[in-house]
Amino acid sequence: MRDTNSLEKILVLDFGAQYAHLICRRIRELGVYAELVPYDITNKEIAERKGRGLIFSGGPMSVYETNSPLPRMEIYKAGLPILGICYGLQALVFQNRGKVSNASRREYGKSPVYLLSHENPLFRGISSPTICWMSHGDAAESLPTGFQAIASSPNSQYAAIASDNLMYAVQFHPEVTHTAEGNKILSNFVFDICGCTKNWSTETMIDDAVADLKTLIGPKDKVLCALSGGVDSSTTAALIERAIGKRLICVFVDTGLLREGEKERTEDFFRPRLGKNLVIVDDSKRFLSGLKRVKDPEKKRMIVGREFIRSFERVQRRFGKIKWLAQGTLYTDIVESAKSAVSRNTQSKIKSHHNVGGLPKDLKFELIEPLKDLYKDEVRRLAATLGVPKELVFSHPFPGPGLAVRVIGEVTTDKLRIVRKASSIIEEELRKSGMHEKVWQAFASVGDDLATGVGGDARSVGHIVIIRIVESVDAMTADWSRISYDILEKISSRITNEVSGVTWVTYAISSKPPSTIEPQ
Ligand code: XMP
């Protein structure tokens, strides 16, 4: 692999925020290499990694708690520009002898931020007010000597601050897409304040990944790639195929938890490309019996993860020795499972995505996860550059545990039938109206609650189907789609007419946060 250490880079100190890695990715999008590093990195390590600028990420703790993560004091003498974000602002203020306290009002969601000066390089070209995403309970109460406020919001006197020696900090999150001019703010920091030049692109990413895989996989080793028919595993397969050709074996497992037509679509696309190296197994009975009577979503994820590995091990026995297992794990899968290597366990666990949390301890494979630093939209760009067809590049994400996490409560064949059919109606209607590619995900979910309906002249009792349609860039945050009433009406009436056992249809109007995208 190219020695990324020789690149000048922005180092993002990880204080455990869900969004810490997102900052890196936004900066890479600007064309500059960025890397997540432990919050207690030393100045020597910063110099060895050729850091040109430092960003302090957000984090879930309060700076005044004992054991809260804080950077080493020497970092303020490194002579590099610093940008603190949210908790990062509070750490900067606290360590430089300002005061941080619990704010009287938590500030959460979108807020107008008013610039107090257009002269500050961090805000060059930014409008005032500018809409920013806030998510904090603590706030700076008084600033350290040498600092001044450069922006404020209705609830934050110090929405942004700057010192006279290259230290900047913002209380909002410039890295999330809800902050309208967040990219411009990061770009001002990276290029104008740190003086970086562009050194990173999709092509360099592919070259690096292929070279890395060639070094890692021995000249005779075989790789088994778990293929789901989605963009992540297809891109993983395409990258590995570039590196090792016919030593790649792809396995598609019918778990009984798939979307309608998924198996057929996958076979149609991959069989001509992979021939005998595409293995399709039907293990649905085993998966469904493993899930019997299980209601807890975390348990469901673990069970699906475990059963997947069993399926792979069977294929492994059939093909003789296969050393490696490749998975299309993305960064969001890892961060939501709180498995970040550098976070030193400061991240909160949201969900164990099956391909991260559910691996058995006695795994008989070594793992390859070439996309594990990337987000979905980065993978889509990679896929397009690798020649993966458009319909696959833009297919909606589908969770590894499949419909098991869209069925609330116990997974039964009846509830599976309902979500499968209702989801396919939703996707079909969105395609017809040209909305399918405009939204991040669209699907149905069903639980055990029943509601009364009336069919013909008779009362009936049936399931409540929840329609979930969200817009997002990377699944870290998401907003419910303001889809037209006409489309919703068509979907609703088709579901009650065509899916037996459904009497009510509802639309989920919760964003992420505070909700997640999948119901479980
Ligand atoms: P949530 O529900 O956590 O989902 O907001 C974020 C994105 O990840 C997908 N997802 C999963 N993917 N294994 C996966 O491979 C999982 O267990 C899993 N759970 C959620 C989800 O569809 C969304 O795109």
Side-chain angles (χ1 to χ4, degrees), residues 301 336 351 353-354 397 399-401 440-441 512 516-518:
R301 285 191 156 74
E336 301 218 334
K351 289 178 185 179
H353 285 199
H354 84 285
W440 173 263
Q441 261 173 310
K512 173 180 179 177
T516 55
I517 295 175
E518 303 288 348

Side-chain angles (χ1 to χ4, degrees), residues 166-190:
L166 294 176
M167 284 194 261
Y168 302 83
V170 290
Q171 188 53 79
F172 54 85
H173 288 271
E175 71 277 22
V176 305
T177 49
H178 303 303
T179 295
E181 297 177 281
N183 272 347
K184 177 76 179 130
I185 294 170
L186 290 174
S187 160
N188 285 346
F189 178 71
V190 168

Side-chain angles (χ1 to χ4, degrees), residues 232 297-298 301 304 328-330 332-333 336-337 350-357 376 396-402 405-406 440-441 443 468 470 472 474-478 512 515-520:
D232 307 339
E298 276 300 290
R301 285 191 156 74
V304 174
T329 312
L330 303 192
T332 32
D333 303 334
E336 301 218 334
S337 307
I350 309 290
K351 289 178 185 179
S352 298
H353 285 199
H354 84 285
N355 42 5
V356 182
K376 182 71 93 187
H396 284 179
F398 187 59
V405 292
R406 293 188 177 170
W440 173 263
Q441 261 173 310
F443 58 86
R468 183 85 166 128
V470 297
S472 177
D474 47 37
M476 294 296 285
T477 60
K512 173 180 179 177
S515 305
T516 55
I517 295 175
E518 303 288 348
Q520 288 222 305

Side-chain angles (χ1 to χ4, degrees), residues 300-325:
K300 289 184 192 174
R301 285 191 156 74
M302 297 301 151
I303 291 165
V304 174
R306 182 191 72 204
E307 296 304 330
F308 261 119
I309 297 297
R310 277 208 208 162
S311 300
F312 301 151
E313 284 173 352
R314 284 191 183 178
V315 176
Q316 189 183 36
R317 286 197 286 277
R318 214 162 102 195
F319 275 81
K321 182 145 179 53
I322 304 178
K323 181 174 177 185
W324 302 94
L325 174 66

Side-chain angles (χ1 to χ4, degrees), residues 14-181:
D14 181 3
F15 293 99
Q18 291 295 315
Y19 301 133
H21 192 275
L22 190 56
I23 304 168
C24 293
R25 175 240 138 100
R26 293 277 178 249
I27 291 166
R28 291 201 298 263
E29 259 171 16
L30 296 172
V32 174
Y33 190 68
E35 196 172 281
L36 200 60
V37 295
Y39 63 84
D40 55 359
I41 188 167
T42 63
N43 282 7
K44 185 163 171 274
E45 287 169 320
I46 291 172
E48 282 165 4
R49 285 169 192 248
K50 299 206 167 39
R52 276 296 289 260
L54 305 170
I55 296 184
F56 294 178
S57 85
M61 299 186 71
S62 289
V63 285
Y64 44 77
E65 279 175 70
T66 34
N67 299 330
S68 55
L70 290 169
R72 290 166 192 270
M73 286 307 290
E74 66 176 24
I75 207 157
Y76 300 107
K77 298 206 177 90
L80 294 175
I82 298 177
L83 173 65
I85 294 178
C86 196
Y87 176 92
L89 174 145
Q90 295 151 18
L92 217 148
V93 168
F94 181 73
Q95 288 190 302
N96 289 283
R97 300 179 185 211
K99 191 157 183 246
V100 175
S101 60
N102 194 257
S104 51
R105 287 165 71 181
R106 268 190 89 209
E107 203 178 7
Y108 193 77
K110 286 178 188 171
S111 167
V113 164
Y114 297 87
L115 308 190
L116 302 176
S117 142
H118 285 275
E119 304 303 313
N120 196 282
L122 192 65
F123 289 143
R124 202 162 285 147
I126 303 293
S127 41
S128 181
T130 181
I131 296 300
C132 297
W133 180 263
M134 297 280 187
S135 174
H136 65 109
D138 290 346
E141 199 179 305
S142 63
L143 296 185
T145 319
F147 278 79
Q148 55 175 338
I150 55 170
S152 67
S153 76
N155 285 328
S156 287
Q157 188 186 352
Y158 303 121
I161 58 175
S163 77
D164 40 26
N165 59 348
L166 294 176
M167 284 194 261
Y168 302 83
V170 290
Q171 188 53 79
F172 54 85
H173 288 271
E175 71 277 22
V176 305
T177 49
H178 303 303
T179 295
E181 297 177 281

